[in-house]
Amino acid sequence: MATFLCKLGRLAFRRRHFVALIWVALLTLAGVGAASAPAPGTTSFSIPGTEAQKAFDLLEERFPGMSADGATARVVFKAPTGEKMTDADNKSTVEETVQELSNGSEVASVADPYTANAVSGDGTVAYAQVRYDVSGMELADSSREALKEAAQQARDAGLTVEIGGDALQVTPETGTTEIIGIAVAAVVLVITFGSLLAAGLPLLTAIIGVGIGVASITALASTLDLGSTTSTLATMIGLAVGIDYALFIVSRYRAELAEGREREEAAGRAVGTAGSAVVFAGLTVVIALVGLSVVNIPMLTKMGIAAAGTVAIAVLIALTMIPALLGYAGRKVRPAGEKSKLLGGGRSKASAKPNMGTRWASFVVRRPVAVLLLGVLGLGAAAVPAASLELGLPDDGSQPTSTTQRRAYDLLSEGFGPGFNGPLMVVVDAKSSDDPQAAFGEVADEIKGLKNVVTVTPPVPNKAGDTATITVIPDSKPSSVTTEDLVHSIRDTGAQVKADTDAELLVTGATAMNIDVSEKLNDALVPYLILVVGLAFLLLIVVFRSILVPLKAALGFLLSVMAALGAVVAVFQWGWLAGLMGVEETGPVMSMMPIFMVGVVFGLAMDYEVFLVTRMREAYVHGEKPGQAVVTGFRHGARVVTAAAVIMMAVFAGFIGSSESMVKMIGFGLAIAVLFDAFVVRMAIVPAVLALLGKKAWWLPKWLDRALPNVDVEGEGLRTEADRGREDRELVRV
């Protein structure tokens, strides 16, 4: 591996014009494809294997004009103080608004509050239900504007009017903090390298890689049905790993120059050693992201695969374009320890004494038990809130109180009860029943007898009379445990209905779908952990030729991810520092957050494990004692790993400014996870454990050692290669 990558690095250094031209051409091609691609249509959201999805599919088949997956809006009216919605003037205003709403080209139906029994018992609140032919993401801007204008006309007439539902759903914005994250990364790179040029190389290559990845996603969005969050995740992960991978190779290049090697040879050795670590670190991230497909949620699968593709591009760019750009830079990229004119020139005074990484590692090697206990107890304390984790999917009740969706939610709760915001749709398939009407009636009667049910509407059959829908209003809010229990209770009655009438009962609707998604994600978490951690464990055995080092890496990851989940619960569920993070409304943690964090954080955690421990492994293979090898690994890698972690945190933290709660939560979760993993697990717990294990850390059964391929991540084979290169140059000179 190291020898092949060394040759690749030298080739890219020599043929830099050709390599640069290829990447620029790929970026241009992807950009042209994105610009000329058709606008993406509806982003379908389906959850195969769930009862809610099965019911939606049945509705599409038996009620063809129903638009079960079409966007909906609830225009909620509240009468002025002392008045009622049944007053003549208020009723006239509402009827005019309903007429105005009916004129939209994408509107399928509008339910008049006065004919649909949609006026509250005290007469102060009413709502008009608007159903569209297309989904919320596909809805034209003109339809949204018409909806808002109709509501404003009613406001001008003196009513309080708010709009809820997914018809106002728009593509999320990430905000200016994303740019701030990149700016922070630039500052860290300048401080690390002491050179604007050297600092610019990782930024340039990362931006090119993300540009190719995101442009490709945009070009294929319509064909592959990719959602708006797909490119957001690819950007987030691509920027972070792209900068990090390039950072490690440039740092190793400067270290090779400091040892007196020629620039082409230094570029080759940098790619052969640090590049080997980049390949395996990238593989762990790709495994973790592609592994999201085991959850069998198409949206999550597409997000993972798109982000994995962007990571693969980042790896290829680091291995080829970085050495090419180093060839262009020439002597402007200086050896490690030599300051540029930016910082005063000359050799660094710090190079004459042990750096901070060396001093810290020496301390850990001397006090491994104390450092290990402190690190484990600290992460354990941070993980305590995770025990109170509540999962759910966001609805209008989780929106900030400043939004019209949240105000509409509150008005409906005030007028009709909290469960009115999460109605359950029961679908009765009586095609096999001898008496469908009797089956419909029995289902309605069974549901009326259940606890926590406020209203059960009469069955509404289709034209064929073999299928009916029944709307059930719970007495609790959509995200409550009581509503979840009610969904299960209704489904439990299905067995008795099946036995009595041979009809099948299905529960669907947004609330039931959210419950099914949460359960599906929870059920998939353990298999996903086994798959991803198992594959990465085998990969790390090959890399480190050790059993205990990969095991320690996996256990350290579990510590950091649990601590990160605890921090997410504390901020987004409990409300700690919510104002600082821009969290206006606390509530359950997004259902996909645990499995998503497991996948992404594991991949990123292995980045630091591979980069840091391969340096230790390299020193150990070259004859150093285990304790000294730990110190050597930190002397060469601690500064760079620290810079990489700060950069990754800055990039992820930039997404906290997103207007989308899902993106905000992911950005915070990943940033805090990197903080815990890089600075507590990899910088403290890892060296402490290796110091305690000594030579046992690198133990591998002889039979397994013979069976495993020798990938030579340490670059042991490059010694002979380098010597041969020097001899050839001497012959040329002679």
Side-chain angles (χ1 to χ4, degrees), residues 71 82 122 146 344 379 429 459 489 514 528 534 578 625 657 660 662 682 691 698 725:
D122 60 5
L379 290 179
D429 180 6
S489 296
N514 288 353
Y528 176 69
K625 294 181 178 180
E660 175 63 43
M662 170 179 166
R682 309 303 154 189
W698 308 107

Side-chain angles (χ1 to χ4, degrees), residues 27 76 89 186 292 624 640 660:
L27 179 61
V76 187
D89 290 343
L292 290 170
E624 292 188 8
V640 181
E660 175 63 43

